[in-house]
Amino acid sequence: MAKRQLAMVMDLNKCIGCQTCTVACKTQWTNRNGREYMYWNNVETQPGTGYPRNWMEAGGGFDADGNLKDGIIPDMVHDYGVPWDYNHDELFGNADQTVLSPNTDPVWGPNWDEDVGEGDWPNSYFFYLPRICNHCSNPGCLAACPREAIFKREQDGIVLVDLERCQGYRYCIAGCPYKKIYFNPKISKSEKCIFCFPRIEKGLPPACAHQCVGRIRFVGFLDDEDSQVYKLVYKYKVALPLRPDFGTQPNVYYVPPVLSPPKFDEEGKPMEGGRIPMEYLEKLFGPEVHRAAETLLAEMEKRKRGEESELMDILIAYSHADMFRLDEN
Ligand code: SF4
Ligand code: SF4
């Protein structure tokens, strides 16, 4: 049990799917040494298969009695997708070679179904869901490891793998219902998002949050009542964990996407309400999503009338610096 818990809140109403966070994470941690296929941060289209493919149906996590559920280990070719390169060397300086093509024959990859979503024109819809390890309070990866190689840091609740102890059994991958821990075939050990703890220890936000151009990511301690994270999760209760039914008590929270375009009726006239079905949001974020959506829409209306709204001021994120706070408690 950690003494304190760092958390991240992501406002899905503002994510533009630019993947800057993905690239920030990849260049910092996973573009080398057996990690090439890993995306410690990924941004997927929902509804969709996600990354790795169909992770939501891949098992792991806990049942209602707190027992660890069976899970699968995703397949490298069909679920993650083997990273490929392009034939740049053939192309440059060779006038006969005009087709840019991958150097393998990929059958899957991250964002294979990007922007597909669901529904028919003109009422089709999708939104972006950025995902990192949730640094859970009850981690399935940790519970599944027979070597006790996974631990939560006392000072901030960051979940890490002790590479000295890890023997590469991969039970952790089956046990994580978010499939956010990966096997590194080069060193035969499991690796995962480290919440950029070397940056945190220097007083800097994680690279994904620091680089986010949409200003959707807030970072802070959950017990720090002055942090924006605390206000979004506990004061206004508009930030919710992803798939709380998985039972791992995630510490990444999401402000649900309540700002989708309106639906059109058969005559092409806009109707009341957004296109993303609340049932789908309830599947992702649990029944609390209805109350969170009501709060968000009511505060937006207040702001439109020119009234004060602390919640809207936080979500607008006027100052990037205010979105990250490590107090001295
Ligand atoms: Fe472990 Fe998965 Fe939770 Fe991360 S998201 S702490 S890898 S169970
Ligand atoms: Fe979304 Fe921010 Fe990532 Fe862009 S950088 S995809 S806005 S989370």
Side-chain angles (χ1 to χ4, degrees):
M1 181 84 156
K3 277 195 187 137
R4 303 193 74 203
Q5 182 65 56
L6 263 179
M8 186 179 289
V9 172
M10 304 198 210
D11 181 358
L12 299 184
N13 295 286
K14 293 168 70 184
C15 179
I16 55 173
C18 63
Q19 306 283 355
T20 309
C21 50
T22 308
V23 175
C25 178
K26 185 148 269 303
T27 50
Q28 186 113 15
W29 303 114
T30 64
N31 63 355
R32 55 202 179 271
N33 303 336
R35 301 187 194 123
E36 291 83 352
Y37 82 97
M38 301 180 195
Y39 285 84
W40 291 358
N41 180 103
N42 77 294
V43 183
E44 60 199 41
T45 297
Q46 285 294 339
T49 53
Y51 170 84
R53 171 150 67 167
N54 292 328
W55 63 268
M56 269 190 246
E57 278 78 50
F62 299 91
D63 66 18
D65 297 323
N67 302 311
L68 192 63
K69 288 160 74 174
D70 288 340
I72 61 152
I73 299 171
D75 176 79
M76 179 65 82
V77 175
H78 299 95
D79 299 326
Y80 293 113
V82 179
W84 66 85
D85 214 332
Y86 289 91
N87 56 338
H88 291 124
D89 290 345
E90 288 170 33
L91 212 57
F92 293 129
N94 181 356
D96 300 334
Q97 173 66 47
T98 51
V99 181
L100 181 69
S101 52
N103 59 358
T104 64
D105 194 9
V107 295
W108 194 255
N111 284 336
W112 199 265
D113 60 351
E114 186 168 23
D115 294 359
V116 173
E118 274 187 9
D120 294 322
W121 187 88
N123 289 321
S124 48
Y125 61 91
F126 67 83
F127 60 93
Y128 297 114
L129 180 70
R131 300 202 304 120
I132 62 170
C133 162
N134 294 293
H135 297 275
C136 307
S137 293
N138 184 30
C141 57
L142 184 153
C145 176
R147 288 278 302 164
E148 297 184 359
I150 300 179
F151 62 101
K152 266 183 92 64
R153 299 211 312 182
E154 220 178 51
Q155 68 269 37
D156 51 24
I158 293 175
V159 175
L160 296 176
V161 180
D162 179 345
L163 293 180
E164 300 275 313
R165 292 198 61 78
C166 177
Q167 293 291 312
Y169 298 154
R170 286 173 265 183
Y171 291 111
C172 53
I173 301 171
C176 170
Y178 300 94
K179 299 295 171 257
K180 272 294 174 190
I181 184 160
Y182 304 84
F183 180 66
N184 183 329
K186 257 202 180 154
I187 57 171
S188 280
K189 301 197 186 272
S190 291
E191 294 184 305
K192 61 183 285 303
C193 157
I194 56 175
F195 212 82
C196 285
F197 76 84
R199 292 175 59 90
I200 294 286
E201 288 172 3
K202 288 196 155 86
L204 296 167
C208 58
H210 190 68
Q211 297 290 342
C212 174
V213 293
R215 293 195 183 180
I216 82 155
R217 297 181 184 229
F218 303 82
V219 177
F221 282 104
L222 279 176
D223 62 355
D224 173 8
E225 295 187 13
D226 291 325
S227 73
Q228 297 189 332
V229 159
Y230 175 91
K231 289 177 184 171
L232 294 167
V233 174
Y234 293 125
K235 184 172 176 185
Y236 294 104
K237 298 185 172 58
V238 293
L240 305 169
L242 178 63
R243 295 302 305 256
D245 53 307
F246 286 161
T248 65
Q249 300 167 24
N251 289 301
V252 172
Y253 296 82
Y254 294 90
V255 179
V258 293
L259 284 181
S260 56
K263 267 179 127 168
F264 294 99
D265 65 16
E266 284 175 1
E267 289 166 12
K269 293 194 186 123
M271 297 155 66
E272 281 290 310
R275 278 187 213 174
I276 302 173
M278 285 306 287
E279 305 81 65
Y280 191 69
L281 297 182
E282 187 175 328
K283 178 188 164 191
L284 294 190
F285 305 112
E288 286 297 298
V289 77
H290 297 281
R291 193 199 30 71
E294 273 174 31
T295 304
L296 287 162
L297 293 170
E299 292 291 316
M300 284 174 201
E301 284 306 316
K302 260 169 76 178
R303 204 73 164 88
K304 281 186 206 163
R305 293 195 298 268
E307 296 169 25
E308 294 284 315
S309 168
E310 183 190 36
L311 176 57
M312 285 301 109
D313 283 348
I314 292 172
L315 291 174
I316 287 168
Y318 292 107
S319 159
H320 210 163
D322 293 344
M323 300 175 75
F324 172 67
R325 189 179 137 91
L326 296 179
D327 67 332
E328 304 275 313
N329 275 353

